[in-house]
Amino acid sequence: MTKVKAEIKVKPESRIQVIDRAATLLDAISRYSMPVTLKALSADTNLAPSTAFRILHSLIDNHFVDRDSTGKYQLSGRLIRLSNYQYQNVDFRKVAIPYMEKLRDKFGETINLTAREGDVVIYVEKAIPNRMMHVQQIIGSRAPLHVTGVGKMMLGMEGHQGIVGYAQRTNLPTYTRKTFSNIESLEHECMLCVEQGFAYDNEEAEIGVGCIGVLLYDRYGEVVAGLSVSAPIERRRDEWVKDLVKAGKSISIELGYVKTDAPLKKNN
């Protein structure tokens, strides 16, 4: 008996209109070499300005589009990262692991590699010390951005609008009495972390646990991951900062990042 394979046809009405419109807007933005106005995008896509505005700001919230200080729109570097995600995901782990192992052996504490997904960081790799008592982070576990060192740096890189947007979406849930639970204090902390090039987690996620974190950058100057050390708070040492920052810079260079005198990319 001959088997007949049924052909499934997608009905036009089954398409999701808002996704089609978002794709149209992204295509329109990509045709411009410079940031573009809402009026131009509305004309290019035949969308009402109010409709285009709503969709664009949803794309901004999801880091697919950036809006500059003049109100013009441009594609975000996240699209580049997503197009190469499979390769970068393998590459930054492979590059980072030897540095993580050296830091683990020197500090005698757990070293973590994290990546951002939306409003959380995900633990994607770790190097644990050969000692009975150590901080244990589970691969695949998640933590809100505002309670981790690297997460606060990632927020700081987005500037005021990014931090406010995050706070509005999440309502800044409190995990300990040291968690940053209001926008003003969180923004001050995040911007300080970016300015100094490293961040502390001072028992903000869990009492008794402290971390130090730095960011890793790719060849586009975009944040690709976070590197951190987690330890019981009484064992954490400020002198670790120098070695952690040095390792972060070395990993970033291997990922193709070229340091210049200009500041790293940050959305204002």
Side-chain angles (χ1 to χ4, degrees):
M1 180 182 294
T2 303
K3 293 184 179 181
V4 178
K5 183 178 180 180
E7 182 179 354
I8 300 175
K9 294 184 178 181
V10 179
K11 297 179 180 180
E13 60 267 27
S14 69
R15 297 171 66 94
I16 301 175
Q17 187 180 59
V18 70
I19 294 178
D20 290 340
R21 289 176 170 179
T24 300
L25 281 165
L26 290 172
D27 285 341
I29 296 172
S30 72
R31 292 194 289 269
Y32 289 85
S33 60
M34 301 291 289
V36 58
T37 64
L38 174 63
K39 182 178 180 180
L41 291 174
S42 176
D44 288 350
T45 59
N46 292 319
L47 293 174
S50 59
T51 299
F53 180 84
R54 290 197 304 272
I55 296 173
L56 285 167
H57 282 263
S58 180
L59 291 169
I60 289 172
D61 289 341
N62 287 280
H63 313 292
F64 292 117
V65 170
D66 290 332
R67 187 169 185 255
D68 67 17
S69 58
T70 67
K72 296 180 180 180
Y73 301 87
Q74 60 186 348
L75 296 180
S76 166
R78 185 184 186 198
L79 290 175
I80 299 173
R81 296 198 303 275
L82 287 176
S83 67
N84 296 311
Y85 180 78
Q86 179 179 359
Y87 303 102
Q88 288 185 342
N89 196 37
V90 173
D91 287 346
F92 76 72
R93 289 187 188 185
K94 182 178 179 181
V95 171
I97 286 175
Y99 292 94
M100 294 172 67
E101 291 174 343
K102 289 179 181 178
L103 291 173
R104 173 203 61 196
D105 295 342
K106 186 167 186 177
F107 300 162
E109 302 292 351
T110 301
I111 309 300
N112 309 297
L113 188 66
T114 52
R116 180 173 180 174
E117 183 176 286
D119 290 333
V120 301
V121 292
I122 301 178
Y123 291 85
V124 297
E125 193 58 78
K126 63 182 179 181
I128 58 175
N130 184 24
R131 63 191 305 170
M132 185 172 295
M133 299 295 292
H134 64 267
V135 176
Q136 179 71 279
Q137 303 289 7
I138 300 173
I139 299 297
S141 64
R142 301 168 179 236
L145 297 175
H146 70 292
V147 301
T148 68
V150 295
K152 288 184 294 185
M153 291 192 74
M154 290 173 178
L155 284 173
M157 293 296 291
E158 294 189 344
H160 173 73
Q161 290 183 346
I163 295 169
V164 171
Y166 170 83
Q168 292 174 341
R169 291 192 302 273
T170 64
N171 293 318
L172 301 181
T174 300
Y175 290 81
T176 76
R177 65 181 182 274
K178 297 188 176 183
T179 301
F180 288 93
S181 57
N182 67 76
I183 296 177
E184 291 76 17
S185 60
L186 176 63
E187 182 172 356
H188 179 268
E189 171 72 6
C190 291
M191 301 312 292
L192 175 63
C193 292
V194 171
E195 182 179 350
Q196 66 189 13
F198 62 91
Y200 286 104
D201 159 19
N202 293 310
E203 301 179 285
E204 295 150 43
E206 183 179 354
I207 292 296
V209 176
C211 300
I212 308 172
V214 299
L215 296 180
L216 307 180
Y217 302 90
D218 63 16
R219 59 181 174 146
Y220 304 104
E222 296 284 344
V223 176
V224 68
L227 180 70
S228 64
V229 53
S230 299
I233 195 70
E234 70 275 6
R235 292 207 306 251
R236 191 185 65 184
R237 298 290 179 265
D238 290 338
E239 53 263 33
W240 294 348
V241 170
K242 182 178 179 180
D243 289 317
L244 196 65
V245 168
K246 182 179 179 181
K249 289 180 178 178
S250 296
I251 295 170
S252 296
I253 289 171
E254 288 201 40
L255 292 175
Y257 173 63
V258 178
K259 185 176 180 180
T260 65
D261 292 333
L264 291 165
K265 292 184 179 179
K266 181 169 67 175
N267 300 324
N268 295 316

